Structures are given as C-alpha cells and as structure tokens.
Amino acid sequence: MKTGIIGLGAMGAPMARNLHTAGHLATFWNRTTGTATALAEELGIAPAADPQVLAGQCALIILSVSADSDVLEVIDALAPGLQPGTVVIDTSTVSLDTARAAAERVQAAGGE
C-alpha cells in the first residue's frame, strides 16, 4: 500500500524509515523543508511538494505533527487531494475534540 508520512519529528521520521525498509513509503512531507530534504537524501525518495500532492499519491497517510491546530491545518491542506477511500491515521497527541474534528473533515473529503 502506498503510504505517506506527514511530520518527520521524533515519531514520524523513524516510521518513514521503517516503511521505506518495508517497501511501502511513497512520499513524505514536513513543514520544515530542511528536515524533508535530509530524509530525501537519506532514503532516495522525493518529498511531496505539499500535503495535497502527498494525498493524491497515497492510499494511507500517517500524520505525526506537534499540536491540535497543526493537525487541523494539515488535514485542511491535504483534504483537496484525498482520493475516495484514502485512510488517514493520526498519531499526534491531540485532544479528543481535535481528533473528532479531523475525522469529520477527512470523511467530508472522501477519506476514512
């Protein structure tokens, strides 16, 4: 399954490396471009230009970002690129209200 990672911090970068090793990582995106560039050089995979582009390339998207507002911002950015049935998993530490709002936005865009 083509998988994308958004957020390359303490959790996201190791997940991206493991998915790459398993042959599932299609692309990734990070707000700090230097972090994405370094991982691209390490793995030999080009980062997505933005979350919407990533969403158009992946059947599974894993988010690992730092705060409630960041999760919703990323969801809004990737939503226009979601394909029907795309699965979005959020591993961020956020409030229940944020998790529910994110799920509603993903579903409204055709994702799961």
Side-chain angles (χ1 to χ4, degrees), residues 3 5-21 25 39 43 62-64 91-92:
T3 304
I5 300 276
I6 295 179
L8 300 174
M11 288 176 34
M15 285 190 282
R17 288 181 183 100
N18 287 336
L19 286 165
H20 174 67
T21 298
L25 185 65
L39 189 63
L43 301 181
I62 301 172
L63 303 182
S64 186
T91 65
S92 309

Side-chain angles (χ1 to χ4, degrees), residues 63 67-69 71-72 75 88-107:
L63 303 182
D68 291 60
S69 60
V71 168
L72 296 177
I75 292 293
V88 179
I89 299 172
D90 181 24
T91 65
S92 309
T93 304
V94 295
S95 73
L96 181 57
D97 289 340
T98 297
R100 286 181 175 150
E104 288 172 4
R105 293 176 189 190
V106 166
Q107 290 171 348

Side-chain angles (χ1 to χ4, degrees), residues 10-88:
M11 288 176 34
M15 285 190 282
R17 288 181 183 100
N18 287 336
L19 286 165
H20 174 67
T21 298
H24 299 294
L25 185 65
T27 191
F28 48 85
W29 183 81
N30 196 69
R31 289 175 291 173
T32 305
T33 57
T35 302
T37 300
L39 189 63
E41 291 172 2
E42 176 186 335
L43 301 181
I45 295 176
D50 57 47
Q52 181 177 348
V53 170
L54 182 143
Q57 297 175 350
C58 299
L60 173 65
I61 301 167
I62 301 172
L63 303 182
S64 186
V65 297
S66 58
D68 291 60
S69 60
D70 297 337
V71 168
L72 296 177
E73 182 180 312
V74 168
I75 292 293
D76 289 342
L78 67 82
L82 285 176
Q83 304 299 312
T86 299
V87 175
V88 179

